[in-house]
Amino acid sequence: MTQSGQTGPQAVKQPQSQRRDWVLLPALGLLTICLMAVSAELLSRWFYPVTQVGFQNCFATNDPTGDAAVKPNSVCWEQTAESTLKAEYRFNSRGHRAGTELNPKPPGIYRIVLIGSSITQGLFVPRDKTFAALLPEELSIETGRKVEVYNEATGGKFRGGSYPTQNSAQHFDQVLAAQPDLILWVITPTDIMNAGTKENADSPVTGSLREDPRSATGSAKPRSIWNEITAYIATGTFGERLKSRWEDTRTSIVLKHLLIASESQDEYIKSYLRNGDNANFLKTEPDSKWQTQLQYFDAELAEIEGLAKNAGLPLVAVFVPNRPQAAMLSKGDWPAGYDPLKLEDEVRASVVNHGGRFIDIFDDFRRIPGPERDYFPVDGHPDADGHAVISRFLAKELTSGGAVPELKASTSPDIAKEP
């Protein structure tokens, strides 16, 4: 008696079908993920457009350091995914986003020269909405004097360089050429992170802080994609590269924007303080890297203040908080081990010790609810509303408290009738 069993082509076909399923199902899953990712990216680009028009006319974007000077007499436009406004960058013959040429100072004009980095230049914001453009009118109304503000600030990485740099003092003659009555230096946490001297330009501390993915240079010898992937895996950088690629996508930016913007003030502060290195400057005991950067910044500050003093010009410094600092100041309390006031106190001490003047706008930030809403959630720069807030605070502190006697608030009703 023979045992019946499945033989022939049908028996052979079953294991082949199973093998085909093991290939097709993962392939279909991968294809579905790819389609969803592409669709998400296309929708993100549609609803959150980014434009850069004529950037090669204004900035040396191929400069690996990002510190190349802005091209004089140039104009370009930019809109980020987080902004609904298109920012025009129009630079005069000196490469300044000042809204005018640098002309000899007319009689009776009180001229302030602004120095600083990207916030002061008004990155991502139309010039007429920046605090550099809003401040003259507010000061004129408060003081009854004709006040001009000439903006010499640089725009940060790939926008004309950070400030201060190891060459800032060497170019201080440009500030003096503007015939200022007052030099106003707007300082941010990023300026301290970017500070450096000739001696430390190649140090591991500065190199690690200034690293920019766009400044990385590849090998002169072209390599295949497979060889690059193998090399990344071997060196342990594959995950970092994959993460960097993801963070460069519009989908990533939009998701971060929506998530951060929807957080409550308390949730935002807690999530930011978990960022490790990014939140180091907010600690009551910052790590040695930040202490070193403070020393570099103090050296730059001493040199610049010395040049202003030799020229007989008052230099006033102000510290503008970044987004998490503003949120913590407004909330009024923060977790143990953190203090948003500490860095400002250290900057104030450095400014005063070197003979400069300091105005404090942190108390003003503490009096308004949710000031972090006036910053771009992902990028962190102030938006147009944030610039209006900063302008109002600067005008208030410059005209009160006696920091600048020449700008004391006027009590006369007949003030600033001329533009």
Side-chain angles (χ1 to χ4, degrees):
M1 191 173 179
T2 59
Q3 189 174 2
S4 63
Q6 203 172 31
T7 60
Q10 188 173 1
V12 176
K13 188 176 181 180
Q14 188 172 359
Q16 288 179 344
S17 176
Q18 291 176 346
R19 285 196 298 269
R20 186 174 65 247
D21 290 344
W22 277 102
V23 174
L24 285 178
L25 290 176
L28 287 172
L30 183 61
L31 180 62
T32 302
I33 293 172
C34 290
L35 288 173
M36 292 176 65
V38 170
S39 300
E41 182 69 9
L42 290 175
L43 288 172
S44 298
R45 289 174 179 268
W46 178 265
F47 289 107
Y48 296 85
V50 170
T51 58
Q52 286 185 347
V53 181
F55 249 45
Q56 70 282 359
N57 299 329
C58 297
F59 310 110
T61 53
N62 60 341
D63 171 47
T65 67
D67 296 331
V70 169
K71 299 175 184 178
N73 295 317
S74 59
V75 60
C76 50
W77 294 265
E78 179 176 34
Q79 181 178 356
T80 69
E82 295 190 274
S83 176
T84 58
L85 303 174
K86 185 178 290 186
E88 179 190 74
Y89 303 123
R90 186 177 294 273
F91 300 100
N92 64 16
S93 59
R94 292 175 176 263
H96 299 145
R97 195 189 185 198
T100 181
E101 285 293 335
L102 178 58
N103 299 312
K105 184 172 61 177
I109 291 292
Y110 189 87
R111 179 176 286 175
I112 299 173
V113 172
L114 272 177
I115 58 175
S117 55
S118 56
I119 283 181
T120 314
Q121 192 190 65
L123 205 63
F124 311 132
V125 176
R127 201 204 75 85
D128 63 333
K129 297 184 182 297
T130 64
F131 67 78
L134 299 173
L135 188 58
E137 182 178 358
E138 296 199 37
L139 288 176
S140 296
I141 292 173
E142 290 289 331
T143 63
R145 304 188 63 171
K146 298 177 183 177
V147 180
E148 281 185 359
V149 173
Y150 184 81
N151 192 0
E152 290 198 8
T154 59
K157 209 72 169 170
F158 297 93
R159 302 291 192 279
S162 52
Y163 194 93
T165 66
Q166 55 183 313
N167 298 319
S168 296
Q170 297 178 19
H171 300 296
F172 199 72
D173 57 333
Q174 296 183 23
V175 178
L176 301 180
Q179 301 175 284
D181 296 294
L182 173 74
I183 301 167
L184 180 58
W185 185 354
V186 179
I187 302 169
T188 69
T190 304
D191 299 333
I192 297 169
M193 184 172 65
N194 287 331
T197 63
K198 293 177 183 177
E199 289 76 17
N200 80 291
D202 298 323
S203 75
V205 171
T206 308
S208 63
L209 285 170
R210 290 189 177 192
E211 185 177 357
D212 189 283
R214 288 171 292 184
S215 66
T217 54
S219 171
K221 183 180 178 180
R223 298 188 299 176
S224 68
I225 295 177
W226 174 250
N227 286 338
E228 288 187 359
I229 293 174
T230 305
Y232 293 153
I233 295 174
T235 57
T237 60
F238 181 75
E240 295 176 6
R241 291 279 179 169
L242 197 62
K243 180 182 177 183
S244 176
R245 294 285 185 182
W246 159 248
E247 290 179 345
D248 286 339
T249 64
R250 193 76 49 81
T251 308
S252 170
I253 295 172
V254 170
L255 285 175
K256 288 179 185 176
H257 174 90
L258 296 175
L259 288 171
I260 296 174
S262 65
E263 288 179 319
S264 68
Q265 190 177 73
D266 188 56
E267 290 170 338
Y268 170 66
I269 293 171
K270 289 179 179 178
S271 63
Y272 185 86
L273 294 182
R274 288 194 292 266
N275 282 343
D277 288 346
N278 290 340
N280 258 331
F281 75 97
L282 291 169
K283 293 181 178 178
T284 52
E285 297 295 335
D287 62 16
S288 59
K289 208 181 329 187
W290 262 102
Q291 296 297 338
T292 303
Q293 287 306 117
L294 273 170
Q295 294 173 13
Y296 296 155
F297 183 81
D298 182 74
E300 296 287 350
L301 189 149
E303 191 170 4
I304 291 172
E305 285 198 7
L307 292 171
K309 186 177 180 180
N310 291 339
L313 295 171
L315 186 147
V316 175
V318 61
F319 193 95
V320 173
N322 68 357
R323 193 176 195 268
Q325 264 184 312
M328 294 172 75
L329 290 170
S330 176
K331 188 172 185 293
D333 63 87
W334 36 85
Y338 293 91
D339 184 359
L341 301 169
K342 180 178 175 60
L343 186 58
E344 191 215 26
D345 289 339
E346 292 176 321
V347 171
R348 182 208 311 267
S350 293
V351 170
V352 174
N353 287 341
H354 296 303
R357 307 176 193 176
F358 189 87
I359 60 172
D360 182 6
I361 63 172
F362 271 35
D363 281 343
D364 298 297
F365 273 94
R366 299 177 81 163
R367 294 188 180 101
I368 60 174
E372 72 277 4
R373 303 295 179 187
D374 297 327
Y375 292 73
F376 295 121
V378 179
D379 172 78
H381 282 83
D383 59 17
D385 292 333
H387 275 263
V389 169
I390 294 171
S391 177
R392 188 169 72 248
F393 291 165
L394 288 176
K396 173 178 175 290
E397 300 302 332
L398 284 169
T399 58
S400 63
V404 186
E406 299 85 354
L407 291 176
K408 186 177 179 180
S410 172
T411 56
S412 169
D414 185 21
I415 56 174
K417 290 190 175 180
E418 295 187 44

